[in-house]
Amino acid sequence: TLEIPSRAASNQFFIKEWDRIVLGTKTSSRSMLNVKESRKTAVTVRVLSLIHKVLESNIHITKRDLFYTDVKLFVDQGESDAVLDDLACMIGCTRSNLHVVASDKGLVVGRIQFTEDGDEIDCTRMGVGGKAIPPYIDKITNIRSDAEFVLLVEKEAAYMRLAEDRFYHRYPCIVITAKGQPDVATRMFLHRIYKELQIPVLGLVDSDPYGLKILSVYLSGSKAMSYDSASLTTPNIQWLGLRPSDLDKYNLPEQCRLDMTPNDIKVGKDMLEEDFITQNPEWKKELQIMVKTKKKAEIQALSSFGFQYITETYLPRKIREGDWI
């Protein structure tokens, strides 16, 4: 019989002192002797044996690789992925510790250097697009930087503008994006940078409920990965923009202010009750403005003033005024 920590919503709690979501103490059993559980137990044992083989060989594989080793048994990748997370919970380690990683997604550019599996990486010399954040963060060592802050960007389009304009030369910083919803590698990389460099992290996201949700995943973690929140969350992220109050402050044209859908408004109202909002009065005030005006805007809306407005005017003014919350 295997005792697996429960990852159900009822066993997940937000710890205010730690500022993150964690798992409780509930567990569930899996036994070959129980007919209802026999298949799930067989999948668990199979995944465990495959992980053992990977660790013995000292190689890394993707979740897709794992699935294709026994398609007939797993049937659907969602099942092997879920069992993999269960095993990480049971063993008490991160998924990357098991040498099973997700595909590259995140990007980094700017004032940071490090050693990656023996190779020296300088992110100011990686071309316009920057460096892909590797899925195996454990192979990154000797992190160095003279950056004054990390700029965490939601959208790849905004990241590319910052990278092409070499924004990090005028304002010493590290620019990171996960191109939308944060992936595990980007979250671990950000956590590692914050922990080792001890510099502020400023978030640049769309002025809508989903932009805030993305910040919350970096800040407090996600329920799906709550068992590994200690290595996936970054405390004290500051909200730089695009904030609802910026729409009037920077005179954003009406055609760039989009009407929130009924679902957007519902998500926004629900978020007003979430822990990461209630404990930050300034964030709550901004979200209340959004819900009251029923208007949202994307970072790219700033391009209505010119393609380089974000790097030439908006961000320099924000940084000069210390306008983050």
Side-chain angles (χ1 to χ4, degrees):
T1 301
L2 298 173
E3 288 293 325
I4 309 287
S6 171
R7 294 189 293 115
S10 59
N11 195 39
Q12 298 178 0
F13 307 94
F14 180 84
I15 306 299
K16 188 175 181 180
E17 293 77 14
W18 296 349
D19 197 21
R20 66 173 188 260
I21 300 169
V22 300
L23 274 189
T25 57
K26 293 180 184 176
T27 61
S28 59
S29 300
R30 283 180 200 165
S31 171
M32 283 287 191
L33 302 178
N34 187 323
V35 176
K36 291 182 180 179
E37 298 172 355
S38 59
R39 186 180 178 282
K40 191 69 172 281
T41 307
V43 171
T44 304
V45 172
R46 177 61 173 148
V47 171
L48 196 56
S49 69
L50 291 169
I51 288 171
H52 180 259
K53 189 179 294 184
V54 166
L55 292 171
E56 265 195 332
S57 304
N58 195 29
I59 60 173
H60 290 76
I61 62 169
T62 65
K63 293 187 292 182
R64 196 68 175 165
D65 289 330
L66 185 71
F67 167 66
Y68 272 110
T69 55
D70 204 332
V71 177
K72 285 188 177 180
L73 175 62
F74 299 145
V75 182
D76 181 82
Q77 188 181 335
E79 188 165 6
S80 57
D81 286 356
V83 167
L84 179 64
D85 287 336
D86 286 342
L87 289 173
C89 272
M90 184 182 76
I91 296 168
C93 67
T94 66
R95 196 170 63 197
S96 59
N97 287 150
L98 301 178
H99 285 204
V100 182
V101 297
S103 301
D104 291 349
K105 183 186 175 190
L107 298 169
V108 58
V109 72
R111 308 284 274 266
I112 184 171
Q113 300 83 38
F114 51 83
T115 305
E116 182 187 343
D117 199 23
D119 295 327
E120 288 300 320
I121 305 296
D122 182 346
C123 291
T124 62
R125 300 176 180 274
M126 299 301 295
V128 175
K131 167 83 170 68
I133 296 173
Y136 23 83
I137 304 300
D138 55 313
K139 291 197 174 186
I140 292 178
T141 57
N142 192 26
I143 297 175
R144 295 99 61 202
S145 176
D146 64 348
E148 296 175 2
F149 59 92
V150 175
L151 193 54
L152 181 62
V153 184
E154 175 187 353
K155 296 285 188 66
E156 185 180 13
Y159 167 90
M160 292 304 295
R161 172 51 47 217
L162 290 161
E164 186 176 22
D165 289 358
R166 313 282 180 175
F167 182 78
Y168 49 85
H169 283 325
R170 284 178 288 146
Y171 298 89
C173 65
I174 302 164
V175 186
I176 292 175
T177 185
K179 296 185 273 190
Q181 191 64 31
D183 60 303
V184 170
T186 304
R187 289 165 62 189
M188 289 185 77
F189 186 68
L190 180 66
H191 169 87
R192 182 92 178 270
I193 287 176
Y194 177 79
K195 186 177 178 182
E196 295 193 21
L197 300 181
Q198 292 292 301
I199 55 177
V201 179
L202 308 179
L204 181 64
V205 298
D206 288 342
S207 179
D208 62 24
Y210 307 103
L212 257 185
K213 271 194 171 295
I214 283 172
L215 274 190
S216 78
V217 172
Y218 285 112
L219 183 67
S220 306
S222 63
K223 290 183 177 180
M225 298 290 289
S226 57
Y227 68 89
D228 194 17
S229 61
S231 63
L232 289 173
T233 55
T234 303
N236 305 319
I237 294 176
Q238 305 294 305
W239 187 7
L240 180 71
L242 182 67
R243 300 202 304 270
S245 60
D246 288 344
L247 274 59
D248 285 339
K249 182 177 180 179
Y250 290 85
N251 299 312
L252 201 70
E254 282 299 322
Q255 65 265 28
C256 297
R257 306 184 189 203
L258 307 176
D259 293 327
M260 293 174 69
T261 65
N263 187 60
D264 290 337
I265 296 168
K266 181 182 182 303
V267 171
K269 287 180 177 178
D270 290 344
M271 285 178 68
L272 284 169
E273 306 302 320
E274 292 195 23
D275 295 299
F276 82 99
I277 291 292
T278 57
Q279 68 179 10
N280 194 324
E282 291 181 288
W283 286 33
K284 186 171 184 177
K285 185 179 177 181
E286 290 285 348
L287 186 54
Q288 286 172 332
I289 293 172
M290 188 191 301
V291 172
K292 184 180 178 181
T293 60
K294 299 180 181 179
K295 293 291 183 179
K296 61 183 179 179
E298 296 184 3
I299 302 168
Q300 281 69 45
L302 295 169
S303 296
S304 62
F305 298 116
F307 293 123
Q308 293 180 298
Y309 179 82
I310 189 171
T311 56
E312 299 291 343
T313 304
Y314 180 74
L315 288 177
R317 179 178 168 183
K318 282 273 186 181
I319 294 165
R320 186 172 62 250
E321 296 177 355
D323 185 18
W324 51 79
I325 57 176

